[in-house]
Amino acid sequence: MSRIPSIPITSTSSAIAPSSFALIGSPSATNSGDLPNKIRKGVGRLSENMHILANDPSLALFCLQEHIRKEVPNIIKQRTEFSNQHRVLQGTCYDIDYSIGAMKSTEKAAEEFDSIQNHLRNALFLKQQLKFEETRRKKRTKE
């Protein structure tokens, strides 16, 4: 970017004073001997404003570049951590879904478990009856 030549100024104001331009065309300004000073001040302010306008965008872009340079590695690190946590969470969700399915299938199997329990009771009862009959036969054969 080319540098704009500036005229030395006496004021540090960055705003162009509208009164500077109004005085140039007025009859009192043309009659007085301070017209060159007023023109120099007006041109100096204009030069300063042009310099600020020319350099502020580059300063803003520099600040933006520095911010990006500092923050992008952090953003990449957070993104990889997020991806890893997402993978772990997804695996946990699959495990939970599998566990829920297993629990629902055991709830459906409650009737079968009740049937098995009844069959076991019947088997124990029949075994007791057989044992009783066997002991009774032994007693009869001894008599």
Side-chain angles (χ1 to χ4, degrees):
M1 186 177 284
S2 65
R3 185 174 170 109
I4 299 173
S6 63
I7 300 173
I9 57 171
T10 57
S11 169
T12 58
S13 170
S14 64
I16 299 175
S19 61
S20 301
F21 295 110
L23 291 175
I24 294 173
S26 69
S28 64
T30 56
N31 293 338
S32 67
D34 61 333
L35 181 62
N37 289 336
K38 291 181 180 179
I39 291 174
R40 187 173 291 123
K41 285 182 185 179
V43 170
R45 289 180 185 152
L46 181 62
S47 175
E48 182 181 0
N49 285 333
M50 291 301 292
H51 182 70
I52 289 170
L53 289 174
N55 289 325
D56 273 350
S58 62
L59 179 64
L61 290 175
F62 173 75
C63 291
L64 185 62
Q65 178 188 5
E66 284 297 308
H67 176 71
I68 289 171
R69 183 184 63 80
K70 289 178 184 176
E71 292 301 319
V72 165
N74 293 334
I75 292 172
I76 291 171
K77 182 181 174 184
Q78 288 177 351
R79 185 174 181 186
T80 56
E81 287 176 5
F82 178 77
S83 296
N84 291 338
Q85 290 176 355
H86 177 71
R87 223 179 348 263
V88 168
L89 182 63
Q90 201 169 22
T92 305
C93 287
Y94 290 143
D95 291 345
I96 289 173
D97 287 340
Y98 181 75
S99 299
I100 289 172
M103 291 301 294
K104 286 183 179 179
S105 66
T106 56
E107 287 175 359
K108 290 177 184 176
E111 292 178 17
E112 284 80 12
F113 288 139
D114 290 339
S115 174
I116 291 170
Q117 189 176 12
N118 287 335
H119 288 303
L120 286 173
R121 275 191 209 127
N122 289 338
L124 287 173
F125 177 72
L126 291 174
K127 183 180 178 187
Q128 286 174 350
Q129 281 183 342
L130 287 173
K131 191 175 182 181
F132 176 75
E133 289 294 325
E134 189 178 311
T135 56
R136 200 166 121 190
R137 279 186 204 161
K138 286 182 182 179
K139 284 183 184 179
R140 276 190 191 171
T141 56
K142 283 185 183 180
E143 291 176 0

